[in-house]
Amino acid sequence: MANINSGGIDSNTYDAIVIGSGITGGWAAKELCEKGLKTLVIERGRMVEHIKDYPTANLNPWEFKHRNILPLKDREENPILSKCYAYEESTAHFFAKDNYHPYVQKRPFNWIKGYQVGGKSLTWARWTQRWGVIDFEANAKEGIAVDWPIRYNDLAPWYSYVEQFAGISGNRDGLPQIPDGEFLPPMDMNCIETHLQKSLASSYKDRHLVISRTANLSQALSGRGPCQYRNLCFRGCPFGGYFSSNSTTIPAAERTGNLSMITHAVVHSVIYDESKQKAKGVRVIDALTNEATEYFAKVIFINGSTLNSTLLLLNSTSSRFPNGMGNDSNELGHNLMDHNYNGRITGEYDGYEDQYYAGRKPTGSYLARFRNFGNDKQTDFLRGYAYACNGFREINKAEGVNIGSDLKNTLSEPGLWKMALVSMGECLPSHQNKISLSKDKVDRWGIPLLEIDAAFGDNENNMMMDILKSGAEMLDKAGFKNIKTLDTKDAMGLGIHEMGTARMGLSSKTSVLNKNNQVWGAENVFVTDGACMTSGSCQNPSLTYMALTARAANFAVEQLKKNNL
Amino acid sequence: MKRREAIKNLAIFTGGAIMFSSGLLVGCNSSEVRIWLSDDDVLLLDEIGETIIPKTKECEGAKAAKIGTYMKLMADECLTKKERQIFLVGLTTIEDAAREKFSTDFMDLKPIQKKELFMEMQSQAEKEKKDSIEKSIAIIPIHYFQLFKDLTIHGYFTSEIGITEARRYEAVPGRYNGCIDYKKGDKAWATS
């Protein structure tokens, strides 16, 4: 850390520092700024301004040089990213490149990163089911890992709070596993989705297909949207039709006049004040010049995305915390989770030839969890799974069609209705699934490389067998034909729902964060991104991160007012 | 593309392991295999594409959609090395087959002859695929004809003509309606 440019302590001092500007950093910045705190957001990547910096947002398919297929050279240079469903010619600029940001895979793990203002909130899938009562109780009931220090009721008002601001479309379905929230009108299901919904309702008591709750605006909200049903969200939306930090929370923070932001700024470590027993600031390295600078604040929010937030804590050592900040429990870095998206079930349906759809729905249908829930009890695995379901009419099936005008005419018309199910399986927290710092390899800023050592275990693998069997059975009962199942057997990471590694808990002896997301032993440091998760549920996690962040930020402001931080 | 459609558009672009198809060995002993693609090859590829997706009374075909330029770009920049090799050998195979069957260069064949030639190749490709499935071969080899056919379909239906004339396209739909009437002959939406 040579050449520290302190710039004078006063000019580098803020009320609050937020590390990262993705889905949780944006929320932390908004809440802290709106409560009057002078807040510095530190982003490691480049600026991405809403609309202005969405270069592909209005391009037609034929306007991409490679028609949205990435060149071989790019795929070879980015073997991990190339496995990501959203990494395409139209979106490649929103993903951090493999070769520039290496990490060590002790066991195969696909780490997908978005290093820019807005982070992965630009490219997320926007599915936003609440977590249910069972999700926060499961660890305690089953004796897995440690208990969550909060319950659903602690979070419920904050779910409502973030839903109303973010704008979540959905239907009030009355399902306890995905509690209802403050929804904008739901988007339509198409006829094959409705068909499956009805079939499930008549064949089973516990199987419910609903329209996914989604952070796309079915109505205009606070000058944003409405959604134009282009389904090009991953490119950034010129209509502000979906929630991202760029479109929503960062502009709100800016409007307060309290926001400062630096970009190309990699946080090296959090500085611990041994005498005051709290953090006093952060060491930052300019990503372009490698110049180091320190910034100071009363409260620090770490929102660097799960793996980077924990990397930062691990790299923040002091006499008080020789093994990483908040690591009295030695659990820091452990209990890495993801969701298991490897299960795929498809089927074709003969019928509804006289029906179609118009517009491009930026979401799908959600088959809510039914395993180990209600009266269901499985012996082969704990927890459960949901399915992301998508019904559509096939357009590129050319098998058995003669070339020439027959082929052209066939492919110019929609084919059979098809249903595609993708699994979202809960992953148990395991101490063996862990991340740590490399002892001998560093990145281009001198920060130790992250080593990832994790894999799905027996519970996830047993669950996958049931996922495929049950999915095929449900499609069969609904009259689908040519049903196919597939376990892609991809390594962890491609769910891009990495969670855990700095879990919340009831005690500093067994967890890293307390019930308010404060770091044990450095209570003015908060971690509110996926790193904090104590278990994984099977619901998409981002909405829960948002609620936890808003809750923690408001708690931090209260404590600051009481001089408790 | 949506999250749940995690499988990419075209299997050939996934970079998975591919074995050579026996079908492409047929013509190997007669003509030299290309190591690069020329401007003349673009014209050849235009004809290959136009035979697979021709101009009809409805709208223009693959040639007008510049399918040759597109296929050359895919071969030069997007296909894996193995796919590219299948592509290059496949061109020679097509040329040799034309000479063998009609004693004429492919470029000089009548449209109906080109189609006849390709129908045979398509049958061969489908038979090989069927055999592979029956033998439970884990990785089904890519037949060169299937490669040209897939590239033509992808290239044509991502071109402006394919999107706006062969199919229906709305850049900004502005609404989603989950259920509308459909009658046979109505065009498919170009994008999902």
Side-chain angles (χ1 to χ4, degrees):
Chain A
M1 295 298 294
N3 303 320
I4 287 181
N5 169 21
S6 71
I9 288 179
D10 285 352
S11 66
N12 281 1
T13 298
Y14 297 81
D15 294 327
I17 286 171
V18 176
I19 300 164
S21 61
I23 212 154
T24 62
W27 267 102
K30 168 185 144 18
E31 294 303 308
L32 297 171
C33 285
E34 287 182 347
K35 290 282 158 36
L37 270 57
K38 295 288 180 192
T39 302
L40 175 69
V41 170
I42 303 175
E43 167 55 49
R44 67 178 300 153
R46 69 193 162 91
M47 175 56 71
V48 172
E49 272 186 52
H50 182 45
I51 301 176
K52 178 174 157 281
D53 293 325
Y54 302 156
T56 59
N58 289 314
L59 294 181
N60 291 303
W62 60 86
E63 292 173 314
F64 290 94
K65 184 182 175 193
H66 303 93
R67 309 278 173 84
N68 214 15
I69 302 289
L70 280 161
L72 178 64
K73 182 166 179 290
D74 189 293
R75 288 168 7 238
E76 285 179 342
E77 285 172 1
N78 296 285
I80 300 158
L81 271 183
S82 294
K83 295 178 198 165
C84 171
Y85 70 98
Y87 185 65
E88 300 179 335
E89 191 174 27
S90 58
T91 60
H93 49 288
F94 289 149
F95 291 86
K97 300 300 178 279
D98 290 348
N99 53 1
Y100 202 78
H101 300 283
Y103 62 99
V104 180
Q105 301 182 56
K106 306 275 267 195
R107 284 181 280 172
F109 186 97
N110 301 296
W111 185 10
I112 309 298
K113 320 172 206 79
Y115 292 168
Q116 63 264 324
V117 169
K120 289 181 290 197
S121 77
L122 285 163
T123 52
W124 70 310
R126 309 170 308 286
W127 287 34
T128 42
Q129 339 302 331
R130 288 187 181 195
W131 288 24
V133 171
I134 51 165
D135 294 313
F136 295 94
E137 294 178 347
N139 279 5
K141 280 189 175 167
E142 297 162 357
I144 298 288
V146 295
D147 190 10
W148 276 90
I150 57 170
R151 289 291 179 262
Y152 173 75
N153 285 340
D154 295 306
L155 216 47
W158 295 102
Y159 274 129
S160 293
Y161 179 74
V162 297
E163 283 165 347
Q164 284 169 324
F165 186 78
I168 308 294
S169 66
N171 188 49
R172 297 180 66 86
D173 299 295
L175 300 174
Q177 61 272 56
I178 46 168
D180 291 335
E182 318 297 326
F183 297 145
L184 301 174
M187 293 177 185
D188 280 358
M189 291 168 89
N190 62 38
C191 71
I192 202 70
E193 292 167 346
T194 306
H195 170 85
L196 180 60
Q197 181 185 49
K198 286 179 182 160
S199 164
L200 292 171
S202 69
S203 303
Y204 304 88
K205 287 195 173 68
D206 60 352
R207 313 283 170 99
H208 304 279
L209 188 70
V210 302
I211 188 75
S212 178
R213 290 84 189 261
T214 303
N216 282 74
L217 301 175
S218 54
Q219 285 177 349
L221 181 67
S222 310
R224 293 185 290 125
C227 174
Q228 296 298 306
Y229 300 97
R230 306 184 323 143
N231 194 28
L232 301 176
C233 312
F234 299 142
R235 303 178 187 178
C237 184
F239 304 96
Y242 73 94
F243 174 91
S244 65
S245 298
N246 314 63
S247 69
T248 312
T249 46
I250 290 171
E254 276 174 339
R255 282 194 291 273
T256 66
N258 291 325
L259 178 71
S260 301
M261 192 183 303
I262 53 172
T263 55
H264 298 293
V266 181
V267 180
H268 172 280
S269 50
V270 180
I271 309 164
Y272 189 70
D273 185 330
E274 307 273 354
S275 62
K276 292 181 179 161
Q277 297 193 16
K278 60 184 182 184
K280 65 176 180 184
V282 295
R283 300 183 188 92
V284 172
I285 301 171
D286 187 305
L288 304 176
T289 66
N290 276 30
E291 186 180 30
T293 310
E294 294 182 348
Y295 294 91
F296 308 96
K298 287 175 244 177
V299 59
I300 296 167
F301 268 70
I302 301 181
N303 300 90
S305 84
T306 296
L307 299 179
N308 276 317
S309 290
T310 295
L311 190 162
L312 177 58
L313 289 174
L314 286 167
N315 203 40
S316 301
T317 53
S318 55
S319 344
R320 168 69 183 83
F321 292 118
N323 300 318
M325 186 170 280
N327 195 14
D328 291 347
S329 62
N330 281 321
E331 288 294 335
L332 183 63
H334 291 270
N335 311 297
L336 175 59
M337 299 168 277
D338 186 23
H339 284 140
N340 193 341
Y341 274 69
N342 290 346
R344 312 284 157 80
I345 305 103
T346 58
E348 293 172 347
Y349 192 82
D350 276 322
Y352 302 108
E353 296 94 344
D354 58 350
Q355 293 184 46
Y356 207 17
Y357 37 79
R360 301 189 288 275
K361 182 168 59 179
T363 185
S365 297
Y366 186 88
L367 207 167
R369 173 176 167 181
F370 51 89
R371 286 302 187 211
N372 292 314
F373 179 69
N375 294 324
D376 185 85
K377 183 75 191 105
Q378 296 297 306
T379 51
D380 291 344
F381 59 92
L382 300 170
R383 314 287 166 98
Y385 54 84
Y387 297 97
C389 304
N390 179 29
F392 57 95
R393 288 189 77 163
E394 182 96 280
I395 54 171
N396 274 336
K397 195 164 182 182
E399 273 170 46
V401 182
N402 287 337
I403 57 163
S405 54
D406 281 357
L407 180 71
K408 185 183 181 188
N409 292 337
T410 300
L411 296 184
S412 297
E413 294 173 17
L416 286 175
W417 282 96
K418 204 167 173 181
M419 201 73 206
L421 277 55
V422 177
S423 69
M424 299 183 281
E426 180 164 356
C427 172
L428 291 180
S430 161
H431 189 78
Q432 309 306 320
N433 284 341
K434 60 183 187 290
I435 60 174
S436 54
L437 300 184
S438 170
K439 290 184 174 57
D440 53 0
K441 296 191 188 75
V442 295
D443 67 14
R444 58 190 66 236
W445 303 284
I447 298 170
L449 290 193
L450 199 66
E451 296 183 340
I452 307 181
D453 184 8
F456 290 131
D458 289 345
N459 199 68
E460 291 77 35
N461 295 332
N462 289 344
M463 187 188 291
M464 181 53 63
M465 293 181 355
D466 187 59
I467 283 168
L468 299 178
K469 183 167 163 279
S470 300
E473 180 193 281
M474 288 186 282
L475 289 188
D476 183 56
K477 284 196 181 187
F480 286 83
K481 302 282 189 317
N482 198 17
I483 296 165
K484 290 178 180 162
T485 63
L486 173 71
D487 175 2
T488 64
K489 299 189 190 296
D490 281 317
M492 281 176 78
L494 289 185
I496 324 182
H497 289 171
E498 56 273 19
M499 289 177 276
T501 65
R503 70 185 178 198
M504 295 168 75
L506 292 160
S507 161
S508 64
K509 293 188 180 69
T510 58
S511 62
V512 180
L513 307 170
N514 71 13
K515 65 180 179 181
N516 293 307
N517 296 77
Q518 295 169 283
V519 172
W520 292 113
E523 274 82 11
N524 64 335
V525 180
F526 294 76
V527 181
T528 68
D529 60 19
C532 78
M533 306 305 267
T534 314
S535 71
S537 177
C538 67
Q539 278 93 293
N540 315 59
S542 295
L543 182 76
T544 301
Y545 303 164
M546 294 192 222
L548 285 166
T549 303
R551 176 176 175 269
N554 282 273
F555 173 82
V557 172
E558 280 170 24
Q559 295 301 303
L560 271 179
K561 281 182 187 159
K562 294 177 190 165
N563 286 320
N564 285 345
L565 288 180
Chain B
M1 190 142 136
K2 299 169 189 176
R3 174 178 192 102
R4 57 201 169 274
E5 295 167 26
I7 299 165
K8 298 266 184 180
N9 293 345
L10 256 182
I12 55 168
F13 295 131
T14 56
I18 287 157
M19 299 190 302
F20 282 87
S21 161
S22 60
L24 57 81
L25 298 173
V26 173
C28 280
N29 52 358
S30 354
S31 302
E32 209 166 310
V33 173
R34 291 163 177 76
I35 51 171
W36 56 283
L37 294 164
S38 68
D39 290 347
D40 280 350
D41 292 332
V42 171
L43 302 179
L44 173 61
L45 289 164
D46 273 340
E47 292 306 317
I48 290 171
E50 184 70 13
T51 307
I52 295 168
I53 297 186
K55 178 179 179 173
T56 52
K57 62 179 189 321
E58 288 277 309
C59 62
E60 291 287 348
K63 193 168 160 180
K66 298 189 167 60
I67 200 70
T69 305
Y70 162 84
M71 283 204 268
K72 179 177 185 299
L73 181 72
M74 287 294 116
D76 287 345
E77 297 186 19
C78 292
L79 296 188
T80 64
K81 287 180 182 67
K82 283 182 180 174
E83 287 162 349
R84 178 182 163 86
Q85 194 58 27
I86 293 170
F87 184 102
L88 294 173
V89 175
L91 284 180
T92 306
T93 308
I94 287 171
E95 290 173 317
D96 289 349
R99 282 187 214 107
E100 192 175 314
K101 190 174 175 68
F102 298 108
S103 304
T104 310
D105 281 352
F106 181 83
M107 293 296 282
D108 298 328
L109 294 181
K110 295 180 184 124
I112 193 159
Q113 292 173 311
K114 289 180 202 157
K115 186 171 175 183
E116 188 186 337
L117 193 70
F118 279 9
M119 292 291 276
E120 286 172 11
M121 292 175 176
Q122 179 172 265
S123 300
Q124 187 197 26
E126 283 171 1
K127 183 178 177 301
E128 280 188 21
K129 186 179 175 187
K130 192 162 160 271
D131 290 349
S132 300
I133 291 169
E134 278 170 8
K135 289 176 197 155
S136 297
I137 293 172
I139 300 157
I140 296 168
I142 290 183
H143 188 282
Y144 67 93
F145 183 75
Q146 192 63 41
L147 183 56
F148 290 121
K149 186 175 169 185
D150 287 347
L151 284 169
T152 301
I153 291 169
H154 184 262
Y156 181 71
F157 286 107
T158 55
S159 74
E160 186 167 7
I161 288 170
I163 284 177
T164 63
E165 295 180 32
R167 288 179 180 163
R168 275 191 276 179
Y169 179 58
E170 290 176 333
V172 184
R175 52 85 184 85
Y176 178 75
N177 189 336
C179 217
I180 62 168
D181 287 340
Y182 178 83
K183 61 177 192 306
K184 181 71 186 157
D186 289 349
K187 289 174 178 172
W189 295 112
T191 58
S192 56

